Amino acid sequence: MHPSASFSATLRVHLDNQPGSFARLASAIGEAGGLLGAIDLVRVERGMKVRDVTVLADDETHIERIVEAVRALDGIDVEQVSDRTFLLHLGGKLEVVPKAPLKTRDDLSMAYTPGVARVCRAIADEPDKVWNLTVKQNSVAVVTDGTAVLGLGDIGPEAALPVMEGKAILFKEFGGIDAWPLCLATTDPDEIVRTVAAVAPVFGGINLEDISAPRCFEVEARLREQLDIPVFHDDQHGTAIVVLAALLNALRVVGKRLEDVRIVVTGAGAAGAATSRMLLSAGAGEVVCCDRKGILHPGRDGLDPFKASLAEETNPGGRAGAADEALAGADVYIGLSSPGAVSVDGVRSMAEKAIVFAMANPTSEVAPEEIENFVAVVGTGRSDYPNQINNVLVFPGVFRGALDARAKAITREMELAAAHALAGVIEPEHLEADYVIPSVFDRRAAPAVAEAVARAAAMRSPRRAPVPARACESAVATASS
């Protein structure tokens, strides 16, 4: 484990004003495995100092152990412990900010009644004007039913809201897009589709999030059929795009070609299925997909219709057996499953110059430290290792490009263009085994993806002019200013 800001706390402590008091405090934190962060002097009282001390821990129980270690010290009292992550979420992470001033009667008469009636009539007469005269042109709905949230599973719509808020601020920060969390109190695909279709007039795009498989496939397919705005299930397609981008660069590092390699994917849910299909669309030579019961192949018993379809599309050699058996001689392993899906020995059996993307979060399928000495390239879903393969690199740029091009759908061509553009953010001379995917804070990523997506959309609809790169760059710069 690694101490992280996601598990950090601020301790307000009273220390006797004597030499060595703080040193004893720091030692206790260090001996408990904590990492010291900010240290602030709050006030000085008679015979003591009050300080706020920030510590980083591995998990919640680790925070508790650190606090108990500090409480055990003589001459040091813990007044309060504040979980910094909970403090950040107090009151939510979003707010609505008006773009137009509202300080005079004139402002009111134009922004609202009576002036707004003229704008309403204009849209009623020409419905397409809604794109230019309302928030629709820059708005995305982030829709979930709370059934597959992070690694927490089915926790419900209210508990999913902090994640959807987080997604919304990522849209704004990296894509300049106004996103709105819609956490639905239903898990019925019919109701989800009806609800999203009913609110769609407000939005320029729909981002589906954390809906469990296989319902997510049905919901996305039906909404794509019904709506004339982009519908994008990020857990599927965002993941697939960022994995392909990272793999394209990793293959350049090891000197292999996509069409020549054998790729093993563990996880046959939304992300695993979409990634497998994306790799095949990009020209992968052989993709073998596995679930908890082993390799998918057409003759295997107990496959549901979605896995049966995936089995038909993958594994051309008809392999059978466990995931570890699939790894023998494979060039690439992509984990979109859970810890322990493959073993260290299984990874050791892979071909020379193997590539491993173990993306289960927060605990990878196999620990990077246990394989780094015999694997050429390692990537994870975590921010505390090199090569973090995170779909935040994808969805802001994909929607930015789709909105700018006023696309009616996000096509496979747009997704492939996004992957190649994201891979191209890293110049060939800078590619290294520990740098095959840009940082999530690389401000070049979203504009590059946005331009590629907009151009691919324009090629599909020639009457729409391509969006220049500077338009996308301006949107991201506005969000980060």
Side-chain angles (χ1 to χ4, degrees), residues 272-302:
T275 298
S276 298
R277 291 179 171 122
M278 176 73 80
L279 294 171
L280 291 170
S281 295
E286 182 180 356
V287 177
V288 178
C289 197
C290 309
D291 64 6
R292 291 183 180 89
K293 297 180 180 179
I295 300 171
L296 299 188
H297 58 87
R300 208 186 88 179
D301 292 336

Side-chain angles (χ1 to χ4, degrees), residues 140-450:
V140 167
V142 182
V143 179
T144 189
D145 63 358
T147 54
V149 181
L150 302 177
L152 304 173
D154 185 353
I155 59 174
E158 292 86 359
L161 183 54
V163 179
M164 302 311 121
E165 287 185 12
K167 198 84 174 188
I169 63 176
L170 293 174
F171 267 108
K172 188 65 174 180
E173 180 67 21
F174 296 110
I177 294 168
D178 296 313
W180 313 85
L182 296 182
C183 300
L184 306 182
T186 178
T187 60
D188 177 14
D190 291 337
E191 288 193 35
I192 294 172
V193 171
R194 278 197 300 270
T195 302
V196 175
V199 301
V202 178
F203 301 103
I206 305 294
N207 185 84
L208 300 176
E209 191 77 19
D210 293 348
I211 299 172
S212 63
R215 295 174 311 108
C216 60
F217 305 125
E218 177 188 351
V219 168
E220 183 190 40
R222 289 172 59 184
L223 286 172
R224 285 189 169 194
E225 184 178 343
Q226 290 186 30
L227 301 181
D228 62 353
I229 56 176
V231 177
F232 187 79
H233 186 202
D234 187 47
D235 298 328
Q236 292 185 63
H237 311 298
T239 301
I241 291 168
V242 72
V243 168
L244 176 57
L247 181 57
L248 291 172
N249 280 340
L251 290 169
R252 293 184 181 110
V253 169
V254 301
K256 297 182 182 183
R257 302 191 310 165
L258 184 63
E259 56 267 35
D260 297 331
V261 298
R262 176 153 59 88
I263 303 169
V264 175
V265 178
T266 58
T275 298
S276 298
R277 291 179 171 122
M278 176 73 80
L279 294 171
L280 291 170
S281 295
E286 182 180 356
V287 177
V288 178
C289 197
C290 309
D291 64 6
R292 291 183 180 89
K293 297 180 180 179
I295 300 171
L296 299 188
H297 58 87
R300 208 186 88 179
D301 292 336
L303 294 179
D304 63 35
F306 296 96
K307 289 185 179 180
S309 176
L310 187 59
E312 293 284 351
E313 298 172 57
T314 58
N315 191 14
R319 299 173 186 273
D324 270 5
E325 295 175 73
L327 286 180
D331 301 278
V332 179
Y333 167 60
I334 297 170
L336 294 161
S337 47
S338 57
V342 296
S343 68
V344 172
D345 287 340
V347 173
R348 194 184 293 273
S349 73
M350 294 176 68
E352 291 187 7
K353 298 182 179 179
I355 297 166
V356 172
F357 294 161
M359 296 173 57
N361 215 347
T363 304
S364 303
E365 285 82 357
V366 59
E369 296 88 350
E370 296 182 351
I371 62 173
E372 60 187 359
N373 291 332
F374 52 87
V375 169
V377 179
V378 179
T380 72
R382 294 175 53 140
S383 60
D384 50 357
Y385 289 102
N387 295 327
Q388 183 189 14
I389 303 171
N390 191 315
N391 52 16
V392 70
L393 285 162
V394 173
F395 65 83
V398 166
F399 273 98
R400 178 74 276 151
L403 290 172
D404 289 346
R406 202 167 295 177
K408 294 188 175 182
I410 294 172
T411 64
R412 178 67 85 200
E413 292 79 10
M414 293 159 72
E415 292 170 353
L416 289 170
H420 283 277
L422 181 57
V425 169
I426 302 178
E427 299 86 350
E429 62 271 21
H430 293 153
L431 281 175
E432 298 286 350
D434 61 355
Y435 184 42
V436 298
I437 195 73
S439 161
V440 296
F441 295 106
D442 191 327
R443 294 292 177 172
R444 299 172 297 169
V449 170

Side-chain angles (χ1 to χ4, degrees), residues 39 113 118 218 251 284 478:
I39 303 162
T113 184
R118 295 172 50 226
E218 177 188 351
L251 290 169
T478 299

